[in-house]
Amino acid sequence: MTSDVQALYQAVILDHNKRPHNFRALAGGRSAEGDNPLCGDHVVVYLRVDDGLITEATFQGFGCAIAKASASLMTDSVKGKTVAEADELFQRFHRLVTSPPGAPVEDLGALSTLAGVRQFPVRVKCATLSWRTLQAAAEARDEVVSTE
């Protein structure tokens, strides 16, 4: 990773950790809870889904900077997408953060800045926790999502 890309990665994570977007509860929609026991991350993802379209996505929780930044970027990215489109975006994001460090970075907009996670494989669970929790909320599954 070049020093410019590394600096952008760090800046985006720090910014979204300090000032996460969509960090609030959402009444009247779907929700799911997720835990990463290894890192101590805990997230609740809230969705409003109308006719298969995600019209609102928010989250609350605590944890490491990567987990919060990923949840913040995720909620921005899935609004206005269908549940199926959000799931496809998660698949692309997962490939992004699990591909080898030297692999090309797919353009996923602001989510691409989290490609730096691939340098730290143990942090992939932190980056994907909110996404797995989003899937559970979208499917209205009544279970706690765990990375373990």
Side-chain angles (χ1 to χ4, degrees):
M1 189 180 320
T2 68
S3 61
D4 289 344
V5 173
Q6 180 70 25
L8 178 61
Y9 167 71
Q10 290 175 349
V12 167
I13 287 175
L14 291 175
D15 184 50
H16 280 271
N17 181 50
K18 288 180 183 175
R19 291 177 294 283
H21 300 181
N22 310 301
F23 190 76
R24 64 186 184 283
L26 180 65
R30 303 175 186 182
S31 66
E33 188 175 348
D35 276 310
N36 179 355
L38 183 65
C39 192
D41 304 323
H42 180 83
V43 66
V44 178
V45 172
Y46 303 92
L47 295 178
R48 185 164 292 125
V49 180
D50 297 317
D51 294 325
L53 185 70
I54 299 171
T55 58
E56 190 67 38
T58 67
F59 79 102
Q60 287 186 309
F62 53 86
C64 71
I66 292 171
K68 280 180 72 178
S70 183
S72 177
L73 288 163
M74 176 198 72
T75 57
D76 284 343
S77 299
V78 300
K79 286 182 197 174
K81 293 193 175 359
T82 66
V83 170
E85 289 169 334
D87 188 58
E88 173 58 29
L89 183 58
F90 169 53
Q91 300 310 317
R92 292 170 62 201
F93 177 74
H94 191 265
R95 282 192 301 273
L96 175 80
V97 297
T98 58
S99 59
V105 174
E106 181 181 357
D107 183 6
L108 298 178
L111 290 169
S112 295
T113 57
L114 289 175
V117 169
R118 63 173 69 165
Q119 304 248 24
F120 312 99
V122 72
R123 304 310 296 268
V124 169
K125 290 179 180 181
C126 304
T128 59
L129 174 65
S130 60
W131 289 89
R132 294 187 188 287
T133 308
L134 171 88
Q135 288 177 317
E139 296 169 6
R141 292 190 313 231
D142 188 24
E143 63 185 41
V144 176
V145 175
S146 178
T147 58
E148 297 305 309

